[in-house]
């Protein structure tokens, strides 16, 4: 009998130190598509010429590494943990009605994770795999107002993929994911009702290091500079974005998801780029009304202590980066 994919489940846990494998996930999230799963055993191929017509003579074990990426609907308490994974810093603020505000800003050392991937097998040797020493190198956040739910796609570079482990016992949140119709949008501090689609990518230079430690496993990870890029699709009520583009004018861009919890004084999610530069703005006349397709790149500024800051209100009082 074939293995049904509906049995799959995915979870994540923060590691106490790089490649210090966590034993069980902190949370589980439903997968939206087929994950980008790369288990690289780093095999070394002996192809020396030795008086035979065969090219490959032997295969030796090499260093172990991998990459992993997956798309999820944005469940507020769980997906909020992705932001410090790419930005690095989580500052916990005060609470309102049992929820805590977390401010995610750029920092030097984002955490590493153990990823748990079960693909539905009942193999007795262990049906679930762990990607240890996983460090995020990109995070994509996107939605279209006419679609259903917000989607987020983290991507990691990782150390070794484990041998099989016993299947972990999954549990899922009962909190609803964020809807694509819910956010408000502003440019330069002025709320606009023109946003049709929003696509944001945070990319970070990330390297897994294999130093001379007599081991096939990675010894450390280093994270470098952050680049924040994205694209807006707006219906054209004015020529504002095009004028800003031609004038080399930077604007504050902000997307906020109001918190529907009674008594809360915070936004559920607030993405702020205080100084965003339009790198290209193009008119789109393919439909019945004019649209602006505006590419942007966020600049460093002191307000965001970087290129971007993200505020999230979640039901966790402790740091999401530990």
């Amino acid at each position: 009998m074939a293995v049904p994919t509906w049995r799959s489940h995915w979870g994540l846990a923060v590691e106490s130190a790089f490649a210090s494998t966590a034993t069980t996930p902190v949370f589980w999230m439903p997968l939206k598509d087929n994950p980008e799963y790369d288990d690289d055993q780093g095999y070394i191929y002996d192809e020396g010429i030795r008086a035979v017509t065969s090219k490959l003579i032997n295969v030796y074990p090499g260093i172990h590494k991998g990459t992993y990426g997956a798309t999820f609907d944005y469940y507020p308490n769980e997906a909020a943990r992705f932001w410090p994974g790419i930005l690095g810093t989580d500052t916990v603020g005060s609470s309102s009605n049992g929820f805590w505000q977390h401010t995610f800003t750029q920092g030097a050392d984002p955490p590493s994770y153990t990823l748990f991937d079960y693909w539905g097998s009942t193999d007795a040797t262990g049906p679930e795999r762990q990607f240890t020493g996983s460090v995020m190198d990109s995070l994509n956040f996107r939605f279209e107002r006419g679609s259903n739910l917000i989607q987020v796609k983290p991507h990691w570079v990782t150390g070794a993929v484990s041998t099989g482990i016993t299947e972990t016992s999954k549990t899922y949140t009962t909190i609803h994911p964020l809807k694509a119709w819910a956010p408000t949008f502003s440019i330069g501090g002025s709320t606009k009702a023109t946003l049709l689609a929003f696509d944001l990518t945070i990319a970070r230079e990330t390297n897994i290091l294999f130093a001379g430690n007599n081991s096939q496993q990675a010894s450390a990870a280093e994270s470098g500079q952050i680049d924040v890029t994205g694209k807006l699709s707006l219906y054209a009520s004015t020529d504002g974005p095009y004028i800003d583009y031609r004038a080399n004018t930077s604007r504050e861009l902000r997307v906020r998801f109001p918190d529907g919890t009674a008594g809360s004084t915070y936004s559920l999610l607030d993405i702020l780029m205080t100084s965003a530069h339009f790198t290209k703005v193009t008119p789109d006349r393919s439909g019945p009304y004019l649209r602006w397709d505006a590419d942007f790149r966020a600049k460093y500024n002191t307000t965001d202590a970087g290129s971007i800051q993200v505020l999230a209100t979640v039901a966790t009082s402790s740091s999401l980066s530990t």
Side-chain angles (χ1 to χ4, degrees), residues 64-106:
H64 295 169
K65 57 183 178 179
T67 61
Y68 196 99
T71 301
F72 309 92
D73 291 327
Y74 195 99
Y75 291 86
N77 288 321
E78 290 74 21
R81 293 179 181 271
F82 295 145
W83 299 108
I86 190 72
L87 294 176
T89 301
D90 175 15
T91 303
V92 184
S94 59
S95 65
S96 175
N97 197 33
F99 290 80
W100 282 263
Q101 188 177 55
H102 294 248
T103 302
F104 308 115
T105 53
Q106 293 176 209

Side-chain angles (χ1 to χ4, degrees), residues 244-257:
D244 287 341
Y245 164 63
R246 290 180 56 84
N248 191 24
T249 300
S250 298
R251 295 288 187 187
E252 176 192 287
L253 298 181
R254 192 168 201 165
V255 175
R256 303 181 71 177
F257 291 79

Side-chain angles (χ1 to χ4, degrees), residues 176-191:
H176 297 170
L178 297 186
K179 285 77 173 174
W181 55 261
T184 60
F185 170 70
S186 63
I187 298 180
S190 176
T191 300

Side-chain angles (χ1 to χ4, degrees), residues 51-66:
V52 295
T53 56
S54 296
K55 185 173 183 178
L56 181 61
I57 305 302
N58 213 333
V59 180
Y60 311 117
I63 57 176
H64 295 169
K65 57 183 178 179

